[in-house]
Amino acid sequence: MAGVSQPELRHVGLNLTDEPREVREQVESDVFGFWVFLMSDAVMFACLFAVYATVRHATAGGPTAAQEFKFHSAFWETALLLTSSFAYGMVSISMKHTRGRLWIAVFMVLTFCLGAGFLKMETHDFITMFHDGATPERSGFFSCVFVLVGMHGFHVFSGMMWMIVMGLQLAIYGPDQRTKINLIRLGLFWHFLDVIWVVIFTVVYLQGLIR
Amino acid sequence: MKISPSLRADFLTYLTGYGLAIVLTGISFAFVFYRLLAPEAVFAVILFLALIQIIVHLRCFLHISLKQSSRSDLQLILFSALIIALMVCGTLIVVLDQKARMM
Amino acid sequence: MTFWHILLGRLTWTSIAFVRTWRDPTISGIIGGGAAAVAVGGAVVVLALLTYLRAWRYLWTEWMTSLDHKKIGIMYMVVAGVMLTRALIEAVVMRTQQAIAINNQGIVAPAHFAELFTTHGTIMIFFVGMPLLIGLMNYVMPLQIGARDVAFPYMNSISLWLTIGGGIMLMASLVIGKFSTGGWSGYPPYTELAFNGGVGPDYWIWSVSLSSLGALMTGINFAVTVYKLRAPGMTWMRLPLFTWTTLCTSILMIFAVPPLTIATLLLAADRYLGMHFFTNDLGGNMMNFVNLFWLFGHPEVYILILPPFGVYSEVVSAYSSKELYGYTSLVIATMAIAILSFTVWLHHFFTMGQSAPINAFFGIATMLIGIPTGVKIYDWIWTMFWGEVRLNTAMLFSIGFMVTFVIGGMSGIILATPPVDYMVHNTLFLIAHFHNMLIPGMLFGVIAGYYYWFPKAFGFRLSETWGRRAFYCWFFGFYLAFMPLYVMGLGGVARRSQELFDPALRPWTLIAEFGALLLLTGLACIFIQLYVSIRERHSTRVPVGDPWDARGLEWSMSAPPPEYNFATIPQVSRRDAFYWRKKYDGAYQPADHYRDIELPKNSMCGILVGMGLTACFFGFVWHIWWLAFLGFAIALGTAITRSFMRDVKRIIPAEEVAAHDRRWLDRAAAARPISRHLELTPENEGLAKWQG
Amino acid sequence: MTTVFICIAATSLSGCSVLRRGFLAPAGPIAHAERHEFFFVGAVMLVVIGPVILLAPLIAWHYRLANTKSAFRPQWGFSWILEGLIWVPPTLIVIFLAVFLVQRTEQLDPYRPIPSKLPPLQVDVVSLDWKWLFIYPTLHIASVNQLIVPADRPIQMHLTSGTVMQSLLMPRLAGQIYAMAGMETQLHILISKPGNYWGENAQYDGDGFVHQKFQVMGITPQDFDRWVAHTQQTPKTLDSEAYTSLSRQSILPQPITFGNVEPGIFSKIVHQMIPLGYAAQHEKAKSNGG
Ligand code: HEA
Ligand code: HEA
Ligand code: CUA
Ligand SMILES: [Cu+2]
């Protein structure tokens, strides 16, 4: 591994080998700060998961998990989100290995579309649940389902808005230092959402569907 | 774009992650769909698979490794995992015990 | 939906305090109206004064938009001071009420009393304790580690303005509507819609959210600063202890605030969207709130005590003219407290019905914290051992702290024993316990640190006479005010009682009242001290910057420090870096060469984001949805716009740095080194004589 | 000035009677054991904090700057012996305390029946705004704000709430346990000295909070039987309707008794099957702010 500097190893997205020490330190702390934020966000989700586990049977005589969760949509949502995560990986690679903005933009649009597909399916699920009377007001259990899954959905939505902002910045400034840092952070965010989703599909959907 | 060795390595990392994640997800869903085991056992298995998948994501997508280079991130994640474990396990033990004693 | 309804939401005439007082002129009503009048009047006077002095531009450019960690730190402390005054007055009203209201209604009505303890607790914890400490850490920590600023100066400003926004909400609740009556812990179902339909709990939810959002961002900021911006050579085991406690506090903020956010968010979901997390019916379960709240609440009290522990470490070592005893132990103890604090939250609800082994486990975990805490206290005592202790104001407060804090620790251990807690939980005994920790622990630490670092920040020393007077008021006032509460608590008097029914309690409530007044006098002394010190500043100037013959890097520059802190980033080779530099004559030397320094430009984004979110949350409280939307749009729009700005840095040229540094060195060369005996005299220009 | 004097005098005379209101003057085995635990932990802690209270001012004074005779060693900052001294003894003390803590917590668990030759008397407790309802399911009577029980016989209480969460405390008898709607907690007490005591809710629950106190009377079994017989004559019945009106927010001037109780009403209350009186009251409050 001789000759490869630390930051380059760490951040697939940014080639910092030639930058001065201050810049590298700046990038380090910027990205590390975002990691710290993600971890506190993770604690937030963890608390929600804990609450979810305690209200799993609090259906108050209303619809139950097994009645409301759809196996197939959970599966396809997972597939979409996972693929979008991979697509964002391609954004990072393009950022590191190509000069212009073309490939970055292409893969970002792809990521965006996959994310949108995910959200579309999720909303559709929610709407059918509403039709069945499985609303958040119905029981403690559904309150928690909607808040937990909805919170993740909201994160995905924010990530997509962020992509739009980054797209604009890319158009205006091209991949300059600050854009790149933000693209790296966005990447961390997007992959992190995938990690949360892994827990959601396991603990919420699959657990609810086990018979 | 010219395909350099480092590009190939980076790409392979993502591809591996993607592949593994798909496989792990597939197994989880299959376990539930085909009811391969008793319910409790299925849940244990899918939890375990989720854990593995999280590690895969961290390794391949988020580039956390045991190498010196990403020590502070790794420390951070391990510490967070500790706190999350304390909070989640604590909450479950406490609240479920309370419910058992009063409902 | 009428037009007014859309414009003003739930806001009506009768929401305004003055109108309420007009319609209901009871004593309680008049006190409420009076407080509102003071708040409005105070705000008007301040605004008028600023306009009259034409200070707006200065304030705006030099302070409100500043991203300098030093100025932000000072602003935090000023804000805390304002909030403190209110919370303290509320405390005195509560004590007066309990002193009078024995078998009669007293001066405030039940609901008003409930508002008093809720706002008092909420303010003291979120808007006095946290801002005071965050202010102190903001000012001192970057200086101690040899950094030019915190890692994210712009985020620092947002944190500040979010905290201020929370404070504004609390103040607004005095005039418009009412605050919650559910205590600072806001337990549902009492705070649910079914039992509290008004805006009170909503005020509580959103103001606490603002503050905790600010604290979370501060935590991230400080942790990254300590992690990544240390000067070369400043290894972990060379960090000053205050920096260590800052790091541990930040970690606590990062990991303890999320449970609070979730708890308040879910309560809001119940109240706004009709969900059932904590309601009595349809599967709600209030135990989840209690659990989440204390998952935050317990680490929170250590957020409030760890930085003061750091202050004591610095102060005791500096004023004992001696190296800190047991540095490694102190570091280990600090980390142990931080981590253990995540394992004990259940001790706040031993009485909720879980089984004995669980109570026992958490009881033991709680007692374990006594060990590292004790280690710290012993370490400070041994630091004084074989030293030359200067018994000035800061040391008096420190010694007063050690003596008194252990009593609170003792009651803490008593509370940690579940069978005893069954008896004294929710009584005044508990109130006495935590004031025993917060006043002699946290506040004494803040005052000691304030006395110690004030000359660094403002270039002159604080009055010793008034400092001592304050100490006597605080020390004896504390005992008088809170020892009676221990006794009453043992007698089974519940906390949050606005009326008492046993004449035998009267002597005790009167003593406590007297103590509270003495504490009020103590605070007055602190303000007088400030006034007197400013008036006499010409004879107490310490421009060279090291008035106490102290040891850390923060003393190695002029007082007040230049905006870039260090002319050149220092190279650290030992713990107590400045002490060794002084020893080997490296302290007042020019650098080999100076470089351009890059600093962040001022920015009004922080204030816009902070106030935008405040407007948004205010809209939530009153269901004024357009305002909520507008506020959110402003906050988000600002954040996005800022991310498009590329020109956010400014350069201070090397020549300017060099010139400033040279002026300071000349000043130091001209000053007379002062021995420790004379440091409280006007001779002290901030240059210490080497005495080992 | 004179008032201050009187107060100080009064303190020394009547002040300590405050302590006689609480568990330091126990009237039953639970409170007694808890008092014992209190003194025990307190004494152990005094031993550890005593040195601090003495040493801190003494050392500061001895090594004060003005005292030129005291030694000065600015670079002294570590000693293995002292390290041992500050880490080990506190650890041992905590272990010592922990052993007792585990035992006592187990013994004094509020759910744990009190050993006795007599079978426990069942009392179902419902906390309301702002009163306490005591149902004697085996005797088919009920009382509000008055708990009358035979002395020397264990009482097994089941608690629930018809409103917000509350906390039952009888300072001279037994410690707290929360009462929560939809849930059932337990508390055991025993009055060993017949007499008049008091109990209260210690968890703030609104305007009437301070008035939510009740009388606890421990009387002889004969007196108790007489009281039960007398109460059973009371014409009022505690049924769903009576409960609904009782659950309205109010402060009662005097205790009430019910001579008859609808069977299984406690279970209905726990399962929230009876409409609550405050529901109507609160519809009003919901609609307006301020
Ligand atoms: C930091 C926390 C803090 C502080 C300082 C205080 C200070 C005081 N508190 Fe309070 N209190 C709480 C936190 C605090 N309190 C909480 C959390 C509750 C519970 C609320 C609830 O029930 O929900 C409570 C409740 C509470 C009650 C209600 C008891 C009950 O429930 O029955 C009472 C009653 O008298 C009381 C009294 C006092 C008094 C007399 C003071 C003061 O007299 C003490 C004097 C303090 C000061 C004067 C502050 C001075 C600060 C400085 C000097 C800093 C200087 C600044 C610079 C140098 C820049 N407090
Ligand atoms: C800064 C604030 C602060 C600090 C530092 C502490 C410190 C401690 N607290 Fe306190 N506590 C509060 C603030 C604080 N607390 C507040 C605000 C509440 C109530 C909130 C509410 O309900 O509104 C509360 C409530 C509270 C409870 C809940 C009681 C109840 O609700 O019924 C308990 C119970 O265990 C407890 C215990 C302790 C213990 C064991 C410590 C320990 O950390 C103390 C450690 C110190 C020592 C032990 C002394 C020094 C040590 C030695 C001299 C060495 C030898 C020691 C041993 C061998 C043990 N606290
Ligand atoms: Cu609350 Cu059981
Ligand atoms: Cu605690």
Side-chain angles (χ1 to χ4, degrees), chain C residues 194 326 329 389 422 425 492 502, chain D residues 21 63 65 83 176 178 200 282:
Chain C
S329 276
V389 182
Y422 299 156
H425 174 59
D502 189 343
Chain D
R21 298 157 43 89
Y63 288 99
L65 188 58
E83 288 299 299
Q176 289 169 57
Y178 289 164
E200 65 185 332
H282 285 106

Side-chain angles (χ1 to χ4, degrees), chain C residues 84 88 91 94-95 98 117 120-121 124-125 132 183-184 428 431 434-435 438-439 442-443 447 450 474 482 495-497 516 519 523:
Chain C
L84 169 90
L88 178 66
M94 279 193 290
R95 291 264 39 97
Q98 284 192 345
F117 64 69
H120 168 80
M124 282 295 195
I125 299 280
L132 279 177
W184 81 283
L428 292 182
I431 301 283
F434 68 71
H435 284 90
L438 287 163
I439 294 175
M442 182 196 85
L443 283 178
I447 298 174
Y450 166 70
W474 280 96
F482 291 101
R495 70 190 288 192
R496 301 172 177 170
S497 299
L519 285 171
L523 184 65

Side-chain angles (χ1 to χ4, degrees), chain B residues 98 102-103, chain C residues 285-287 352, chain D residues 180 183:
Chain B
Q98 286 165 343
M102 57 185 95
M103 289 181 174
Chain C
N285 184 348
M286 72 293 283
M287 296 188 297
M352 206 147 79
Chain D
M180 295 163 282
M183 307 177 210

Side-chain angles (χ1 to χ4, degrees), chain C residues 114 194-195 280 322-323 325-326 329 351 379 386 389 399 419 422-423 425-426 491-492 502 504 507-508 510 579, chain D residues 7 15 17-18 21 34 63-65 73-77 79 82-83 86-87 163 176 178 200 203-204 272 278 282:
Chain C
F195 300 94
N280 274 350
K322 204 176 139 289
E323 184 171 312
Y325 173 82
S329 276
T351 52
D379 276 351
W386 277 336
V389 182
I399 295 161
Y422 299 156
M423 275 299 177
H425 174 59
N426 266 339
D502 189 343
W508 299 101
L510 285 175
Y579 173 82
Chain D
C7 289
S17 73
V18 169
R21 298 157 43 89
E34 284 168 349
Y63 288 99
R64 70 192 183 279
L65 188 58
R73 291 220 215 153
Q75 256 100 299
W76 178 74
S79 141
L82 281 181
E83 288 299 299
I86 63 183
W87 281 100
T163 171
Q176 289 169 57
Y178 289 164
E200 65 185 332
Q203 176 74 38
Y204 185 79
Q272 300 176 300
Y278 66 66
H282 285 106

Side-chain angles (χ1 to χ4, degrees), chain C residues 462-478:
Chain C
L462 284 169
S463 155
E464 180 70 18
T465 328
W466 282 100
R468 280 170 185 272
R469 284 177 194 161
F471 170 72
Y472 293 121
C473 291
W474 280 96
F475 186 74
F476 295 108
F478 169 77

Side-chain angles (χ1 to χ4, degrees), chain C residues 298 301 347-348:
Chain C
H298 186 81
V301 306
H347 67 213
H348 293 274

